[in-house]
């Protein structure tokens, strides 16, 4: 997405990922404590995208590369 604010609830993320809501809440709380995101009612705001990317597994970078290669011009590159 081009936005830093994501209109996603814990419940929706849990359903989308196939995990319990409490698991999503625990993970998001850790990301917020690390200063990577902020949570608010009904949404999440990305504060440190580069930090999130550094913490992601290598599959994120591989998928991002493929999207850039196959769908160039479709997705805006994030400002760094």
């Amino acid at each position: 997405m081009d936005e830093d604010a994501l209109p996603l609830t814990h419940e929706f993320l849990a359903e989308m990922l196939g995990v319990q809501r409490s698991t999503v809440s625990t993970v998001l709380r850790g990301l917020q404590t690390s200063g990577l995101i902020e949570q608010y009612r009904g949404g999440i705001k990305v504060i440190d995208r580069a930090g999130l990317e550094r913490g992601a597994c290598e599959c994120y970078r591989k998928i991002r590369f493929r999207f850039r290669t196959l769908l160039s011009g479709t997705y805006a590159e994030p400002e760094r």
Side-chain angles (χ1 to χ4, degrees):
M1 291 183 64
D2 291 336
E3 302 290 324
D4 289 334
L6 308 170
L8 301 171
T9 64
H10 292 200
E11 185 67 33
F12 179 79
L13 281 172
E15 288 180 29
M16 187 170 62
L17 297 170
V19 298
Q20 294 182 347
R21 184 191 174 284
S22 60
T23 302
V24 169
S25 297
T26 300
V27 171
L28 290 178
R29 192 171 23 257
L31 293 172
Q32 182 166 302
T33 300
S34 298
L36 301 173
I37 66 166
E38 285 181 359
Q39 299 181 74
Y40 55 91
R41 185 172 181 85
I44 301 162
K45 182 176 181 183
V46 176
I47 302 300
D48 183 358
R49 182 184 176 103
L52 283 173
E53 289 181 10
R54 280 192 304 274
C57 68
E58 69 182 49
C59 57
Y60 173 80
R61 287 177 283 287
K62 289 179 179 182
I63 292 169
R64 185 81 180 166
F65 174 77
R66 289 289 174 217
F67 269 83
R68 252 189 248 126
T69 303
L70 299 172
L71 302 170
S72 62
T74 303
Y75 296 96
E77 287 299 313
E79 294 181 22
R80 307 265 173 177

